[in-house]
Amino acid sequence: TPIAASTIAGTPVVCEDTKGSYSMLNLQNVDIQWSISPSTAGAIANGQGTNNVEIFWSEAGGHTVNVSVCSQSALLPVTVLANPKPVPLLSAPGVCPGATVLVQTVSPYTSYNWKDENGVILSTAATLNLGAGVYFIDVIDANGCTGVSEFEIASWDAPAVSLTTADPTGFCNNSNTVSLTALTNTNGNYTYQWFQDGNPIAGATGSILYSNQYGTYTVQAINAYGCTATAGSIVLFDYC
């Protein structure tokens, strides 16, 4: 008796890298051989030679489950859905000390698990703010398929800056001009902003400031990443 196509029962749509269960008529004392096409789409996980098998699907696409009994055969089309590959979208590729960046995925998903490098879940929201480090994002798409990606947020150093002067800082009647110098490493590539009594000095953006005005001076260094550090203070005072 020919085997009808409806002989095979099972899930016609599965996710990549998951198992599907398939069965046929409960026939006794016959040689039952299961196969999949193409053969690269997966593997018979268990149950070969019986009425029920589990198939591990490792390749997305349109495939078939085949069963042969007594020179008769039947098949069942199976669609294997590709797992999502979440792509993290960062508001910046790195952060300055103590700062965070907004993180989300390029495509939306139905479920999120943001994890640190130890696998601890940090959030299940679609977006979150993270500091420097290595992270994982586990997602589930609308088909129930799962995907995971690893990503890293770089750690950017703050500038190394100090403030010095070789000139006397006390003088009478604004009679002395003091040279204040921001000291940094030679390859810092910094920009600067000078402050007097906590207020930015217009146009004072070099590594050296000349002033004969009394007050408290500090300098802020900014590196190529936008990280800042402040040095000082030095006080210029009336000394008559």
Side-chain angles (χ1 to χ4, degrees):
T1 303
I3 301 174
S6 60
T7 298
I8 301 178
T11 307
V13 180
V14 296
C15 295
E16 185 182 10
D17 296 330
T18 62
K19 290 180 180 179
S21 297
Y22 303 91
S23 61
M24 58 163 290
L25 295 173
N26 189 15
L27 302 177
Q28 302 296 321
N29 302 317
V30 292
D31 181 26
I32 303 174
Q33 290 297 313
W34 295 87
S35 63
I36 59 175
S37 179
S39 60
T40 58
I44 308 296
N46 57 70
Q48 181 66 278
T50 70
N51 299 313
N52 300 277
V53 294
E54 278 191 325
I55 297 174
F56 180 79
W57 296 103
S58 58
E59 183 178 286
H63 312 310
T64 58
V65 176
N66 309 287
V67 65
S68 297
V69 182
C70 300
S71 301
Q72 302 294 322
S73 64
L75 60 84
L76 175 70
V78 175
T79 299
V80 180
L81 301 174
N83 287 327
K85 295 178 173 60
V87 178
L89 180 63
L90 313 179
S91 59
V95 291
C96 300
T100 61
V101 296
L102 178 67
V103 183
Q104 56 190 322
T105 53
V106 171
S107 301
Y109 298 99
T110 58
S111 174
Y112 300 84
N113 275 326
W114 300 92
K115 301 178 181 179
D116 65 15
E117 61 183 335
N118 297 314
V120 177
I121 296 176
L122 304 174
S123 175
T124 58
T127 64
L128 77 165
N129 290 286
L130 294 172
V134 176
Y135 301 95
F136 297 89
I137 173 60
D138 294 349
V139 299
I140 301 176
D141 66 14
N143 298 311
C145 300
T146 62
V148 59
S149 292
E150 178 182 354
F151 64 99
E152 182 174 4
I153 300 172
S155 176
W156 295 334
D157 293 332
V161 59
S162 60
L163 179 56
T164 188
T165 183
D167 299 327
T169 55
F171 46 91
C172 188
N173 297 326
N174 304 99
S175 60
N176 191 30
T177 296
V178 176
S179 171
L180 303 174
T181 302
L183 299 178
T184 61
N185 53 312
T186 56
N187 60 350
N189 191 27
Y190 300 148
T191 57
Y192 303 90
Q193 176 62 60
W194 290 87
F195 296 82
Q196 179 185 7
D197 298 327
N199 301 309
I201 303 171
T205 57
S207 62
I208 299 175
L209 176 71
Y210 298 96
S211 180
N212 67 345
Q213 299 298 301
Y214 302 130
T216 299
Y217 289 83
T218 57
V219 63
Q220 183 184 72
I222 306 127
N223 63 19
Y225 297 116
C227 303
T228 63
T230 299
S233 59
I234 289 179
V235 178
L236 305 188
F237 58 96
D238 188 7
Y239 184 70
C240 294

